[in-house]
Every structure is written in structure tokens, then in C-alpha cells.
């Protein structure tokens, strides 16, 4: 059995009550297969900063991640949330370099590299996101962009045990249309080879409009370890199915309706 990683990225969604219900559901009400194979299922929920501490107190099975962390360590930076703050509430990890941070909040490769090195210094696990936009894909530059984002983010980095990589083609995020499975396979192949040859093998996830089908087919026999899920992660029942299908895909298990029976 291989460890599968279904990761939820709530972004700026859910009220506190909804967040608590989500965690309670995933902690207590999931199907038999998830309970039976929990050591092979690494559930991650990347939640708004203000929910991390209260959700950590409820979560046993689920790892609670932040969606970002500041590039500064402390001081007069109004509104910033630092790595020491996250450490002090036992946050399990952070997402770095999400395309929404890059594109809406102008995060550069240099800034993301700073955050990667901060995570290295503070032993904070992270999911690093990379991925090309539509124009870059159409010009045939997708793999060049991925390489550059990886190389820039990983300058001076060596603690690969902290890292998960998420490949998220920007043009597939939030559109409801995931990348074609054959294209996911091709990209997965490239990324896994590139990591192996130049860095270390780390778990790689696919993200971008992931729903149940994509969770299964993107991980079935592709070498990918899981999925990073935005909008379809907000409903815990839907996410539960994605958890099961990711586990099945990663372990090349033929889909079995039994897996959906309550345990
Ligand atoms: P989406 O978001 O599943 O809503 O496309 C994925 C992400 O941005 O991580």
C-alpha cells in the first residue's frame, strides 16, 4: 500500500460553524474503507488562519494546514502571520506559492523561495504549488515554466522530507474543467522525472477543478500521490468520496461500490 494524500484547500470559504462540522464529519463519520486504511490516507485540510487552532483541537486524523505564511519572521508588519505563530499553535503545515497568491497578491518566485527556506529553518511541512497559465500552455512552454518555478522556489533547499509538490495548471483552477487525464499523465511523468534527476522524489499532487472522477483517474497508475481540491472540498460528504477515490487510485484498486458503505 502507498500513502495517498487527499488535500482540501478551502481558500476564503466556510464560516466557523461550517468548518467545525466539516472536521467533525471527516473525523467521525467517514466510510469503512477510510477507517480500515487510515495509515495509508494522509488527509490534509488547508484552512483560514483563524480556524487553525480550534480545528487542531478537534482533529486527530486530519492534518490542519495554513494556506500561506509570511516571508518575515516578526516585527512591525501589520496583518502578517508568521511561522513562529503557526508553530506555537501546532499547525501541521502550510501551502506555498498557490497561483492565487502568485497572481492576485503578486507573490514572486523570490518571495516563495524565502518562504520555502523559512519552512526549512523551522521544520514546517509544506505543499509547494507550481503550474503554467493558459498562454504558456498554448505556446508549449508548460514544462519550462514548471522547471523554472521549481528551481527558483528550491534554491538553497535540501530538507525534502518536508515537501509535497502540487502541480496545478492555472487554467484548470476554479473552472470546473480539470485537465485531460492523458495530459495529467504526461505532466506527472515529466515532474516526477525532473524531481528524481535534479532533487529528490517527493509526493506529487494534481490540482485544478478536481472532482471524484479526476481524483481517481489522476492517481490511477500515474505515479501521483494525491490531489489538491478547492471547491469540491467544501462539502465534507463530497470530499469523503474524493478521499476514497484518491486512496483507490493511488493504490491501483479497481473502483468498488462497497467502499462507499458506512463503516
Ligand atoms: P479548484 O481549486 O479545485 O476549485 O479548481 C484548486 C486549487 O486552487 O487548489
Amino acid at each position: 500500500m502507498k500513502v495517498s494524500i487527499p488535500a482540501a484547500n478551502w481558500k476564503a470559504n466556510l464560516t466557523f460553524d461550517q468548518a467545525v462540522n466539516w472536521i467533525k464529519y471527516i473525523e467521525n463519520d467517514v466510510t469503512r474503507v477510510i477507517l480500515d486504511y487510515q495509515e495509508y490516507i494522509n488527509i490534509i485540510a488547508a484552512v483560514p488562519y483563524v480556524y487553525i487552532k480550534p480545528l487542531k483541537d478537534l482533529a486527530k486524523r486530519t492534518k490542519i494546514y495554513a494556506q500561506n505564511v509570511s516571508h518575515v519572521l516578526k516585527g512591525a508588519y501589520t496583518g502578517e502571520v508568521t511561522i513562529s505563530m503557526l508553530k506555537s499553535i501546532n499547525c501541521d503545515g502550510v501551502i506555498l506559492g498557490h497561483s492565487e497568491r502568485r497572481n492576485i497578491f503578486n507573490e514572486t518566485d523570490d518571495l516563495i523561495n524565502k518562504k520555502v527556506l523559512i519552512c526549512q529553518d523551522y521544520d514546517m511541512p509544506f505543499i509547494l504549488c507550481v503550474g503554467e497559465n493558459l498562454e504558456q500552455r498554448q505556446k508549449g512552454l508548460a514544462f519550462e515554466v514548471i522547471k523554472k518555478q521549481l528551481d527558483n522556489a528550491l534554491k538553497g533547499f535540501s530538507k525534502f522530507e518536508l515537501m509535497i509538490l502540487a502541480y496545478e495548471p492555472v487554467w484548470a483552477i476554479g473552472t470546473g474543467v480539470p485537465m485531460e487525464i492523458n495530459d495529467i499523465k504526461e505532466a506527472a511523468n515529466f515532474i516526477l522525472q525532473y524531481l528524481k534527476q535534479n532533487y529528490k522524489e517527493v509526493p506529487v499532487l494534481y490540482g485544478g477543478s478536481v472532482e471524484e472522477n479526476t481524483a481517481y483517474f489522476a492517481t490511477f497508475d500515474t505515479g501521483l500521490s494525491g490531489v489538491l481540491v478547492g471547491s469540491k472540498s467544501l462539502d465534507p460528504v463530497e470530499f469523503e468520496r474524493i478521499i476514497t477515490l484518491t486512496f483507490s487510485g493511488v493504490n491501483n484498486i479497481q473502483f468498488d461500490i462497497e467502499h462507499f458503505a458506512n463503516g
Side-chain angles (χ1 to χ4, degrees), residues 9 11 98 100 168 172-175 207-210 228-232:
N9 175 12
K11 309 188 181 182
H98 190 279
E100 285 149 19
E168 299 206 300
I173 294 177
T175 58
S209 296
V210 170
L228 180 55
V229 191
S231 63
K232 300 289 185 191

Side-chain angles (χ1 to χ4, degrees), residues 13-71:
N13 293 298
L14 302 186
T15 63
F16 182 58
D17 285 350
Q18 290 170 329
V20 168
N21 286 337
W22 193 103
I23 287 293
K24 284 188 174 160
Y25 184 87
I26 295 296
E27 290 288 324
N28 302 315
D29 294 325
V30 287
T31 55
R32 206 185 59 227
V33 73
I34 298 178
L35 296 175
D36 287 352
Y37 293 100
Q38 51 183 309
E39 62 190 296
Y40 302 107
I41 301 177
N42 179 8
I43 304 172
I44 293 174
V47 308
Y49 285 135
V50 287
Y51 300 164
I52 294 171
K53 171 80 172 86
L55 296 186
K56 272 294 297 175
D57 294 341
L58 295 171
K60 304 226 158 37
R61 214 193 311 281
T62 313
K63 301 246 165 51
I64 305 295
Y65 273 43
Q67 297 170 11
N68 185 23
V69 65
S70 180
H71 64 289

Side-chain angles (χ1 to χ4, degrees), residues 175-239:
T175 58
V177 187
M179 195 177 194
E180 295 284 336
I181 298 298
N182 279 340
D183 293 334
I184 295 179
K185 273 196 175 160
E186 189 192 33
N189 204 26
F190 167 76
I191 291 168
L192 290 165
Q193 282 302 320
Y194 191 72
L195 284 171
K196 197 171 167 182
Q197 282 162 10
N198 297 279
Y199 298 102
K200 275 252 161 70
E201 286 175 277
V202 299
V204 179
L205 316 181
Y206 166 77
S209 296
V210 170
E211 31 57 61
E212 295 167 27
N213 273 327
T214 312
Y216 184 65
F217 290 108
T219 52
F220 190 93
D221 213 15
T222 56
L224 294 183
S225 298
V227 284
L228 180 55
V229 191
S231 63
K232 300 289 185 191
S233 74
L234 298 177
D235 173 354
V237 179
E238 199 160 13
F239 190 63

Side-chain angles (χ1 to χ4, degrees), residues 3 6 15 17 25 28 45 81 85 92 94 97 109 111 118 133-134 149 166 170 182 218 225 254:
V3 173
T15 63
D17 285 350
Y25 184 87
N28 302 315
V81 172
M85 294 172 193
D92 293 306
V94 300
D109 280 352
L111 189 100
I118 286 176
N133 64 29
L134 187 59
Q149 288 178 346
V170 179
N182 279 340
S225 298
Q254 293 296 330

